[in-house]
Amino acid sequence: MTRTLRRIGVFATALALPAVLITPSASAAPVRLSLTAPTGPYAVGSTDLHLVDHSRQDPWVPGVTRELMVTVRYPALPSGKPKAPYMAPGVAKVVAEGDAAKLGMDASLIDYRFPTHSRLGAPALGGKRPVVLYSPGGTLSRSHGTTLQEQLASEGYVVVAIDHTHEAEAVEFPGGRVEKKALPPSSIEVSKRVIETRVQDTRFVLDSLHLNRAGMFGHSAGGFTAGETMVTDRRVVAGADLDGSMAHSQSQRIFGRVADEGLDRPFLLMSAGNHSAASDASWQEFQRNQRGWTRETRLPDGEHFSFTDYQTLLPQLGNAPAAFIGTIDPARSVAAQRAELSTFFGRNLRHRSSDTTVRFLLNR
């Protein structure tokens, strides 16, 4: 798969690798996976919310009301609460099977239910906190950005991660019901509907949680979503795009509104490998039209999925494919991303907290 297709990201599968790159282990036991620990001063709490948008039908499954799952991570008091699993059981199974097939591994060797650094239902610190939304890359889970989410929460932010149902490979709802991907074949029109749906999902989350001010970041299609949401919703006051094109079709120069119109609020562009404004016409268009603060930064030794937890998980599974996460040292990659996002949201959001308290979000 070419870099351009992966950068667009709307229809990219979780592991778009060209061949079997990892030799199955001789051990029958799953690999013990872990994420890089957050470094902020606060413990991290976590809770999942089931949100139902009764005003909207699901765009991908006829006759179904649109519903979402979100994870709220927040600064918490130290507690003995259990650690949140990386993925819910039904999602972990689907994602592990897909990843194993592409990596040439036995799916039983991949267990995505490993504990994170977030404590389920840990008591929240008091007071108002700045809120940041997260949207994952195309077909990916909200869980795939856990490392960056936990870091921001440990620094004092409330982070709300959104799953886009029937676009993600799998979303698990209360009771164990799993909804799998149900996208039609890719096309420009489907791409437009994907982003439109993601923007509607994001605005619904803002409404449901009564948020009047938030930042937003996302990987790939999630970064595109952050920009498109900002075009139509002024409640998002600062956004970051982690390696996502702002185009429905690069070859035909069919860009999103954020590229065509720009924004009057700050927006951070982060890329990897040979992706940058120099190679992405939609980023060039965005920079021509951007009226607010902007910065472009790049991980030259990274790759598209360096901006997901695969940056640290794949090396633990075996020979990490450079076509997927580059040759950058995982610890350096994670540290650079954390530093960029912390500086960006610290400058543009930290003193602009939402009027909604953490406790309201958790007890709604």
Side-chain angles (χ1 to χ4, degrees):
M1 177 174 284
T2 66
R3 181 182 307 276
T4 299
L5 288 175
R6 288 188 283 113
R7 281 305 185 291
I8 291 173
V10 174
F11 305 104
T13 55
L15 287 171
L17 300 180
V20 173
L21 297 173
I22 295 180
T23 302
S25 169
S27 171
V31 178
R32 297 186 64 177
L33 298 170
S34 63
L35 298 179
T36 306
T39 62
Y42 304 114
V44 178
S46 174
T47 191
D48 292 333
L49 302 178
H50 178 202
L51 306 178
V52 182
D53 187 351
H54 294 286
S55 70
R56 191 162 50 117
Q57 293 293 296
D58 191 283
W60 312 116
V61 178
V64 173
T65 300
R66 185 65 172 170
E67 58 181 336
L68 305 173
M69 288 299 298
V70 304
T71 294
V72 181
R73 289 187 170 85
Y74 53 91
L77 297 171
S79 77
K81 295 285 188 177
K83 290 185 175 180
Y86 182 61
M87 290 181 176
V91 177
K93 181 176 185 295
V94 172
V95 175
E97 289 174 350
D99 288 358
K102 298 176 183 73
L103 291 170
M105 297 182 68
D106 186 329
S108 66
L109 299 179
I110 305 176
D111 186 358
Y112 287 142
R113 298 170 298 169
F114 65 87
T116 64
H117 301 283
S118 305
R119 301 277 180 173
L120 285 169
L125 286 174
K128 298 174 181 178
R129 298 284 174 178
V131 178
V132 179
L133 306 181
Y134 173 79
S135 179
T139 79
L140 297 183
S141 167
R142 67 189 191 275
S143 299
H144 283 109
T146 296
T147 298
L148 295 177
Q149 295 168 37
E150 288 188 329
Q151 178 64 27
L152 289 172
S154 79
E155 294 176 3
Y157 297 87
V158 175
V159 184
V160 182
I162 306 168
D163 257 341
H164 301 286
T165 312
H166 298 131
E167 183 200 328
E169 290 289 348
V171 180
E172 183 167 324
F173 289 90
R177 172 170 57 94
V178 177
E179 295 293 332
K180 296 185 179 180
K181 185 174 68 173
L183 290 180
S186 64
S187 69
I188 292 173
E189 290 308 313
V190 171
S191 174
K192 289 179 178 179
R193 188 167 18 137
V194 164
I195 298 300
E196 178 184 322
T197 298
R198 282 168 160 261
V199 170
Q200 291 174 336
D201 289 346
T202 303
R203 300 188 70 179
F204 170 63
V205 170
L206 288 166
D207 291 342
S208 298
L209 301 185
H210 299 276
L211 299 173
N212 60 8
R213 187 178 296 109
M216 186 172 180
F217 73 109
H219 166 246
S220 196
F224 191 2
T225 301
E228 290 294 283
T229 301
M230 291 179 71
V231 172
T232 56
D233 200 315
R234 298 198 64 82
R235 289 176 292 182
V236 183
V237 299
D241 179 350
L242 311 187
D243 212 41
S245 177
M246 298 174 173
H248 301 291
S249 171
Q250 285 278 15
S251 62
Q252 299 182 48
R253 297 182 63 87
I254 301 176
F255 303 148
R257 288 183 61 187
V258 64
D260 288 337
E261 301 175 23
L263 300 165
D264 61 0
R265 282 150 287 158
F267 201 80
L268 174 67
L269 296 170
M270 297 183 69
S271 65
N274 63 10
H275 179 231
S276 68
S279 61
D280 188 327
S282 70
W283 280 25
Q284 295 171 23
E285 189 71 9
F286 170 75
Q287 291 179 336
R288 277 194 290 269
N289 295 317
Q290 172 68 348
R291 304 177 304 285
W293 179 95
T294 188
R295 166 177 161 82
E296 181 183 352
T297 184
R298 184 167 65 94
L299 299 175
D301 298 330
E303 254 297 347
H304 188 51
F305 292 92
S306 292
F307 294 102
T308 71
D309 295 328
Y310 285 122
Q311 178 72 88
T312 54
L313 295 178
L314 283 184
Q316 297 172 55
L317 288 171
N319 300 318
F324 190 68
I325 56 171
T327 58
I328 190 171
D329 175 69
R332 186 166 67 87
S333 176
V334 169
Q337 294 174 54
R338 286 174 165 180
E340 285 288 345
L341 289 175
S342 296
T343 299
F344 175 73
F345 287 122
R347 178 188 299 118
N348 297 296
L349 193 66
R350 182 170 288 280
H351 301 297
R352 306 176 71 178
S353 303
S354 172
D355 288 342
T356 306
T357 65
V358 179
R359 289 194 177 91
F360 178 83
L361 293 178
L362 304 183
N363 298 322
R364 57 177 298 284

